[in-house]
Amino acid sequence: MKTSEYLEKKRINVLGYPVDVVDKERSLEIVKENIKNNKQLHIITLNPEMIINAQKNEELSNAIYNSELVIPDGSGILLAFIIKGIKSLNTVPGIELAEDTIEYCSENQLEIALLGATEEVSLAVKERLENKYPGIKIVYRANGYFTEEENIAKNIAAKTPRLLLVALGVPKQEIWIHRNKNLFPNTIIIGVGGSFDVWSGKVKRAPAFFRTLKIEWLYRLVKEPFRAKRILFALPYYTIQLLFDSLRSLLSIKMALFN
């Protein structure tokens, strides 16, 4: 079965945005399939905050709509799955899928490009990845503080990476990828947000306890209070929208049955 056929049959709608019904194992299988078939794959790690952001940002919306794989990264997306009767899946943390893809590329001597974060963090990520994966081929690295968007995209494309990790934060990274993905017809492209900060050692990821309970967002909120305004608005607003959307669907079904 081709990847596109799989996604067409397993993609659902959450508040108007597509999400693929995949777990981490299947997501990695899709990555490997696309690498083996020499195809492009833009991966979106969708969470409630991104959906709320996209509702106000047309370019971000277009990036989500036009990506080839949208993974459920966040307990809020799992809530939408449960409401729709899908109860057997787990979240697919983008940082973990990215790490698994790095490992696969390293084992197979595939070229990797890194874009984003500060110069200090970017250098630290490169060094740590090279120490962790001795066979890794990092063919390009640049921090996220650039002005010539088109030039840097062309510079990366000239290195023909099979994996491109973009850590510019949401929505900048998704928009950058969407604008420039035509230059990467054979590349797996993942927007990895703050993953570079974690891989560099600058920031610690949430302990296993928080990850198991699907409240990694709460740990980040405690450690980084500046996120409070954004997260504490997005999560309740998303949940309210999700519940109203579910009620509308139920009412539509009942009306259809009685007409």
Side-chain angles (χ1 to χ4, degrees):
M1 180 182 293
K2 294 180 181 179
T3 301
S4 59
E5 292 173 348
Y6 179 88
L7 296 183
E8 284 173 6
K9 293 181 180 179
K10 297 292 182 178
R11 179 164 277 195
I12 67 168
N13 182 296
V14 176
L15 296 183
Y17 293 94
V19 188
D20 294 307
V21 185
V22 291
D23 56 17
K24 191 170 75 166
E25 290 71 24
R26 179 54 189 158
S27 297
L28 185 58
E29 285 176 8
I30 292 171
V31 168
K32 292 178 180 179
E33 287 171 10
N34 279 267
I35 289 175
K36 290 174 183 176
N37 293 324
N38 211 29
K39 291 183 176 180
Q40 181 185 83
L41 184 69
H42 175 199
I43 301 173
I44 293 278
T45 59
L46 195 70
N47 58 36
E49 189 178 346
M50 188 182 293
I51 287 179
I52 297 304
N53 197 332
Q55 289 175 341
K56 301 174 288 183
N57 189 319
E58 186 177 357
E59 278 198 278
L60 177 57
S61 286
N62 289 335
I64 297 171
Y65 294 141
N66 289 284
S67 61
E68 290 77 33
L69 179 62
V70 183
I71 61 174
D73 184 2
S75 55
I77 306 299
L78 282 192
L79 175 61
F81 279 11
I82 292 169
I83 289 173
K84 292 176 181 292
I86 304 168
K87 301 179 182 178
S88 60
L89 283 180
N90 213 326
T91 54
V92 184
I95 188 171
E96 294 180 11
L97 179 60
E99 286 180 288
D100 290 342
T101 305
I102 291 170
E103 183 176 9
Y104 178 79
C105 288
S106 301
E107 290 171 350
N108 291 275
Q109 292 286 289
L110 301 175
E111 298 82 359
I112 298 173
L114 308 174
L115 176 64
T118 64
E119 181 68 8
E120 179 185 4
V121 166
S122 176
L123 285 169
V125 169
K126 182 176 184 292
E127 182 180 350
R128 288 197 173 205
L129 290 178
E130 287 174 338
N131 289 335
K132 186 174 182 179
Y133 305 104
I136 197 169
K137 292 178 66 177
I138 298 176
V139 295
Y140 187 92
R141 180 207 63 80
N143 65 52
Y145 294 85
F146 54 86
T147 54
E148 298 295 331
E149 178 179 312
E150 186 176 352
N151 285 344
I152 201 162
K154 288 180 178 178
N155 290 339
I156 299 171
K159 299 294 184 179
T160 60
R162 300 304 302 282
L163 173 63
L164 170 56
L165 301 175
V166 184
L168 302 176
V170 179
K172 185 177 180 180
Q173 63 193 21
E174 284 73 29
I175 292 171
W176 185 92
I177 293 169
H178 181 61
R179 287 176 179 174
N180 297 288
K181 64 188 295 186
N182 62 301
L183 297 174
F184 304 95
N186 313 116
T187 304
I188 307 301
I189 316 172
I190 313 176
V192 294
S195 298
F196 281 16
D197 287 334
V198 175
W199 294 336
S200 71
K202 179 182 177 181
V203 173
K204 287 187 177 181
R205 194 179 172 198
F209 170 79
F210 288 88
R211 301 201 297 269
T212 300
L213 293 180
K214 318 300 179 196
I215 54 172
E216 198 166 352
W217 61 269
L218 180 59
Y219 177 83
R220 291 197 300 269
L221 183 61
V222 172
K223 298 293 288 186
E224 300 172 333
F226 65 86
R227 293 175 177 265
K229 184 177 180 180
R230 193 173 70 227
I231 292 178
L232 294 180
F233 167 77
L235 290 179
Y237 187 47
Y238 166 83
T239 304
I240 290 169
Q241 286 193 59
L242 199 61
L243 294 175
F244 271 103
D245 185 65
S246 177
L247 287 173
R248 280 197 299 269
S249 297
L250 287 173
L251 288 173
S252 296
I253 292 171
K254 287 183 178 180
M255 290 177 66
L257 290 172
F258 285 102
N259 285 338

